[in-house]
Amino acid sequence: MKRIVTIQDFSCVGSCSLTAAIPVLSAAGVECCGIPTALLSNHTGFPTFYSVDLTQELTPISEQLKREHIDFDGIYTGYIASVEQIDLIRKFIEQFRKPGAPVFIDPVMGDNGKMYAALTDDYPEHMRKFISCADVITPNITEACLLTGRSFNPCPTLHEVKEMLTELCNMGVKFAVITGFSEKGKLGAVGCCDGKFTECLTPKRDVACSGTGDVFASALLGAVLRDADYAQALEIATRFTFEAVDYTANADDRRFYGIHFQPVLGKYIQMLDSIEKRSSDG
Ligand code: PXL
């Protein structure tokens, strides 16, 4: 069984970050260890939140894991609470990275043209440097604009998205993916690896729920760890995220704060099983 480590916050309520990554990667059959960067009562999209910063805990935890010779088949970062934490996590990656084990950075910074409330103005510049150590990154449109130094455009054309992807790959990333691209009433993700583009669009639902990007990134990593190629992984992550958003849009008990991905995890497992079937059939 593969074992990865994900470094991001634990938001008690909100179906995001660790509470999305751990179940999704577990459904992929991967042991998902979690190092929390902060403990929050609820994510920062709510009008108020209570937060405990865990910056001081990151180094002792990583030293302890080294002492026990624990290693990982992948490293995945999500919401990082400060620029100081970005530097500590870069060191963690340098120490724990191993050949063939992907480094996934989801550069969680904002959405709908706005940075998340708790992040500082110098954060995008630090994130821009940080992503150069990643194999895979998964910004949304807002984050891609921040990383490439563009002003926010909510509806970029496919051509503009491809330009941003090319710039992101030129920063050192192997597979760059931009989520939340929409065209002709459809919504999905576009990726670029070695100058080749891949995309998957699904019907658009009129619902915005937190955790969607975290579910997508976790599902993409799960598929890569199940030996999907990047294009297959992008398709599975997009289709699974659509199933979760669709379920959320139709749920009677829908609350504004979180994606209901849990009821459709079974569909994700089926999609992953089909990768192995496709490769054994062909
Ligand atoms: O889902 C992204 C996310 C993760 N973690 C925290 C957040 C957000 C988005 O608001 O506030 C703490």
Side-chain angles (χ1 to χ4, degrees):
M1 184 175 64
K2 288 184 178 165
R3 176 176 55 248
I4 68 111
V5 62
T6 183
I7 311 179
Q8 48 187 318
D9 67 281
F10 190 102
S11 288
C12 303
V13 173
S15 277
C16 66
S17 359
L18 284 177
T19 62
I22 294 174
V24 171
L25 281 148
S26 301
V30 171
E31 179 187 351
C32 181
C33 307
I35 301 182
T37 52
L39 175 63
L40 289 95
S41 52
N42 47 271
H43 65 65
T44 65
F46 283 79
T48 59
F49 57 91
Y50 171 72
S51 165
V52 180
D53 183 274
L54 297 174
T55 306
Q56 301 312 318
E57 311 305 326
L58 297 178
T59 302
I61 290 174
S62 68
E63 284 172 358
Q64 175 58 28
L65 296 176
K66 264 281 167 243
R67 210 169 287 130
E68 287 295 338
H69 307 291
I70 293 169
D71 66 350
F72 301 103
D73 302 303
I75 302 174
Y76 160 33
T77 72
Y79 182 91
I80 299 174
S82 64
V83 296
E84 191 186 349
Q85 287 194 351
I86 293 181
D87 289 338
L88 292 172
I89 296 170
R90 184 188 288 108
K91 285 190 192 122
F92 181 96
I93 293 173
E94 280 161 15
Q95 283 172 4
F96 282 86
R97 170 168 229 162
K98 62 175 197 186
V103 172
F104 262 58
I105 294 183
D106 186 10
V108 178
M109 290 192 280
D111 207 357
N112 302 312
K114 285 210 186 88
M115 285 226 313
Y116 292 132
L119 303 179
T120 51
D121 289 346
D122 58 345
Y123 193 94
E125 182 192 322
H126 285 79
M127 184 54 84
R128 199 173 303 141
K129 289 187 193 133
F130 183 49
I131 57 166
S132 65
C133 74
D135 294 302
V136 180
I137 60 167
T138 52
N140 59 26
I141 304 272
T142 302
E143 292 154 352
C145 290
L146 287 167
L147 291 170
T148 57
R150 286 161 197 247
S151 46
F152 177 61
N153 169 3
C155 296
T157 61
L158 183 58
H159 178 73
E160 285 163 339
V161 166
K162 286 182 174 176
E163 272 179 2
M164 288 197 279
L165 285 168
T166 304
E167 285 170 37
L168 293 169
C169 287
N170 288 342
M171 294 180 194
V173 175
K174 266 194 214 127
F175 184 46
V177 176
I178 294 181
T179 60
F181 168 67
S182 81
E183 193 179 50
K184 299 183 191 132
K186 295 197 155 200
L187 183 69
V190 189
C192 179
C193 175
D194 287 334
K196 268 178 55 189
F197 295 98
T198 177
E199 68 182 84
C200 178
L201 299 180
T202 55
K204 196 171 178 172
R205 293 285 175 263
D206 192 19
V207 55
C209 37
S210 65
T212 307
D214 304 344
V215 165
F216 177 90
S218 306
L220 185 75
L221 175 56
V224 167
L225 293 168
R226 287 281 289 265
D227 298 327
D229 62 34
Y230 284 148
Q232 282 174 328
L234 180 139
E235 187 188 333
I236 289 176
T238 307
R239 285 175 41 220
F240 167 56
T241 306
F242 165 73
E243 293 293 342
V245 170
D246 188 50
Y247 187 95
T248 312
N250 291 316
D252 293 339
D253 62 343
R254 172 154 69 87
R255 304 288 297 268
F256 72 94
Y257 54 71
I259 182 167
H260 293 202
F261 66 87
Q262 298 86 346
V264 294
L265 279 172
K267 293 194 180 181
Y268 177 53
I269 294 172
Q270 282 168 7
M271 292 178 203
L272 293 172
D273 287 344
S274 76
I275 310 170
E276 276 123 47
K277 203 173 164 310
R278 264 189 264 174
S279 41
S280 63
D281 288 352

